[in-house]
Amino acid sequence: MRLVRTEDAVGHVLCHDMTQILTGDDPGAPRFKGPRFRKGHVVTPDDVPVLLSMGKRSLYVFELEPSMVHEDDAAARMAALVAGPGTRTSGAPSEGKINVLADRDGVLLVDSARLAAVNSVDEVMVATRRGGFPVREGDLLAGTRVIPLVIAEERLAAAEAAAGGAPLLSVEPYRLRTAAVIATGSEVASGLIEDRFTPVMVEKLAAYGIETAMRATPGDERADVAAAIGEARAAGVDLVLCTGGMSVDPDDNTPGAIRAAGARVVAYGAPVLPGAMLLVGYLGGPDGREVPVLGVPGCAMYSRATVLDLVLPRIAAGVEIRRADLVALGEGGLCLGCAECAFPHCPFGR
């Protein structure tokens, strides 16, 4: 930085805040004390008389060399690395910062590996929400900026290279529209006990705009449960939920029935409590689509937040669940069982 005459400062970057004091002594004159120009402001010709009226005859400024980028211009380039489909930026930079907002309802997806690569570059930063959770239009998703007032073009280019040419964030809309809920258990099929599982599933699905188009209570026999899954797939639903029969007891046949129905099982078991017995699979059909089939553990009936709540947003958006996605849930996958559940505004799943 260097000291220059105020009249010669046009186009240069201020190194510190400039406070203006208006006493309001004249009739109708305002009273004010506060920052008139912020650190990082680029001096314009219109600013010169204001600065002189504040008693600023000379200013400390940065000189922008061709290889340096001002924080506002850098912020715009950083935001371009972040904002993908279903998102928008907050507009012009404010003090070198730009936010990224949801442009529609859906599930937030974050490329964690590329985000870490960008944040590994010195003097840049991107802070986001945790991916995999529902967001609404207008929600704040991320903020980005560079650390200094000016940054070397080379360093900014390194961040762009680390992003790999694709946005770090997207918001995927909910695409699934219909589901089947298959409540297993001979006691439910015979009417000995009320099916309390299906209403819970119906409510959870409705939160993502999914209509429960088919309900079945086939009992416990593997062949009967598999047949119900086949009927649901033939009916053309977008998702099949099988409730109950997911533990390791000898008469719990739901995992075997899902396999017997022809599903491609991604994983049976997830590092999440409650919900370790989750099964995720995909089942093809005559229409050529693979639809998700979930074996839902019993805890989903009575616990407000379980593994189902961690995977359902992505499933509702048509995002394929991989085994690696379930493995990644282990860190943060322990529900603390708070007396007053605050999910999703808590550490569970994060």
Side-chain angles (χ1 to χ4, degrees), residues 107 119 148 167 229 266 292 302 314 345 348:
V107 61
N119 281 328
I229 295 171
V266 173
Y302 53 82
R314 279 175 281 187
H345 306 291
F348 183 55

Coordinates of all heavy atoms in Angstrom, one line a residue, residues 107 119 148 167 229 266 292 302 314 345 348:
V107 N -33.7 -30.9 -2.7 CA -32.7 -31.4 -1.8 C -31.3 -30.8 -2.2 O -31.0 -30.7 -3.4 CB -32.6 -32.9 -1.8 CG1 -32.3 -33.5 -3.2 CG2 -31.5 -33.4 -0.8
N119 N -11.4 -25.2 -0.9 CA -11.0 -24.6 0.4 C -9.6 -24.9 0.8 O -9.0 -24.3 1.7 CB -12.0 -25.1 1.5 CG -13.3 -24.3 1.4 OD1 -13.3 -23.1 1.1 ND2 -14.4 -25.0 1.8
P148 N -8.1 -11.8 1.5 CA -7.5 -10.4 1.4 C -8.4 -9.5 0.6 O -9.3 -9.9 -0.1 CB -6.1 -10.7 0.8 CG -6.4 -11.8 -0.1 CD -7.4 -12.7 0.6
P167 N -20.3 -26.7 -11.1 CA -20.7 -26.1 -9.8 C -20.6 -27.0 -8.6 O -20.8 -28.2 -8.8 CB -22.1 -25.6 -10.1 CG -22.3 -25.6 -11.6 CD -21.3 -26.7 -12.1
I229 N -44.4 -56.9 -3.4 CA -43.5 -55.9 -4.0 C -43.6 -56.0 -5.5 O -43.6 -54.9 -6.2 CB -42.0 -56.3 -3.6 CG1 -41.9 -56.1 -2.1 CG2 -41.0 -55.5 -4.3 CD1 -40.6 -56.7 -1.5
V266 N -28.3 -52.5 -2.7 CA -27.2 -51.6 -2.6 C -26.5 -51.9 -1.2 O -25.3 -52.0 -1.1 CB -27.6 -50.2 -2.7 CG1 -26.4 -49.3 -2.4 CG2 -28.1 -49.9 -4.1
P292 N -36.5 -47.2 -6.5 CA -36.0 -47.6 -5.2 C -36.9 -48.4 -4.3 O -38.2 -48.2 -4.4 CB -35.7 -46.2 -4.5 CG -36.5 -45.3 -5.2 CD -36.7 -45.8 -6.6
Y302 N -41.7 -45.0 15.5 CA -41.9 -44.3 16.8 C -40.8 -43.2 17.1 O -41.0 -42.4 18.0 CB -41.9 -45.3 18.0 CG -40.8 -46.2 18.0 CD1 -39.5 -45.9 18.6 CD2 -40.9 -47.5 17.5 CE1 -38.5 -46.8 18.6 CE2 -39.8 -48.4 17.5 CZ -38.6 -48.0 18.1 OH -37.6 -48.9 18.1
R314 N -33.0 -37.3 -0.7 CA -32.3 -37.6 -2.0 C -33.1 -38.6 -2.8 O -33.2 -38.5 -4.1 CB -30.9 -38.2 -1.7 CG -29.9 -37.1 -1.4 CD -28.6 -37.6 -1.0 NE -28.6 -38.1 0.4 CZ -27.5 -38.5 1.1 NH1 -26.3 -38.5 0.5 NH2 -27.6 -38.9 2.3
H345 N -32.7 -29.4 12.9 CA -31.8 -28.4 13.4 C -31.0 -28.9 14.5 O -31.1 -28.4 15.7 CB -32.6 -27.1 13.8 CG -33.5 -26.6 12.7 ND1 -33.1 -26.1 11.5 CD2 -34.9 -26.7 12.5 CE1 -34.0 -25.7 10.7 NE2 -35.2 -26.1 11.3
F348 N -27.7 -34.5 14.1 CA -28.0 -35.8 13.5 C -27.9 -35.7 12.0 O -28.6 -34.9 11.4 CB -29.4 -36.3 14.0 CG -29.8 -37.6 13.5 CD1 -29.0 -38.7 13.7 CD2 -30.9 -37.8 12.7 CE1 -29.3 -40.0 13.3 CE2 -31.3 -39.1 12.3 CZ -30.4 -40.2 12.6

